[in-house]
Amino acid sequence: MPPAKKAAAKKAPAKTAAAKAPAKTAAAKAPAAKKSASAFNKAMTISPELAAVIGGDARPRTEVTSAIWAYIKKHDLQDPKNKRNILADDNLKAVFGGKKSVTMFEMTALVSKHLS
């Protein structure tokens, strides 16, 4: 039988000074800078047709999309066979340009026409 080989002893890597430095606490950190206003955070004016669905106050694009999805789910307007399709009721038909059914991808383009 061949003699058993000894496993080579590995040296642990030396810790750097940065690794030994104590972690900063939340109070010691500088205050975060305000987020820059992007197109998604900018309040948009809502058309009367869209206001009938989600309300008339100005709000950012992201909140408009969330409010429309809340309306769709509340009124059970998703196609049961294909959840990506939205079946429009009378209020949504006005927003969707008279279409009875749109995909969720078409919906974003159609809704953007009602924001300014």
Side-chain angles (χ1 to χ4, degrees):
M1 277 187 146
K5 293 184 180 180
K6 291 186 179 179
K10 293 183 181 179
K11 291 186 178 181
K15 293 185 179 181
T16 61
K20 293 181 181 180
K24 292 183 180 179
T25 62
K29 290 183 181 178
K34 290 185 178 182
K35 290 183 180 180
S36 63
S38 68
F40 290 114
N41 295 333
K42 180 181 173 189
M44 306 291 287
T45 305
I46 298 172
S47 72
E49 295 85 10
L50 186 56
V53 176
I54 64 169
D57 54 332
R59 48 177 113 170
R61 214 176 269 276
T62 54
E63 289 182 23
V64 169
T65 304
S66 295
I68 291 172
W69 275 108
Y71 180 86
I72 290 168
K73 291 183 183 209
K74 178 181 178 185
H75 296 284
D76 196 30
L77 298 175
Q78 282 182 286
D79 186 355
K81 294 178 184 173
N82 186 354
K83 298 282 188 179
R84 292 179 287 180
N85 292 338
I86 293 112
L87 307 172
D89 62 358
D90 292 333
N91 289 334
L92 282 179
K93 278 184 188 176
V95 175
F96 296 162
K99 293 184 177 183
K100 292 180 183 178
S101 176
V102 297
T103 66
M104 63 181 168
F105 303 110
E106 287 178 294
M107 178 187 76
T108 56
L110 294 168
V111 168
S112 68
K113 295 176 183 177
H114 293 274
L115 301 172
S116 59

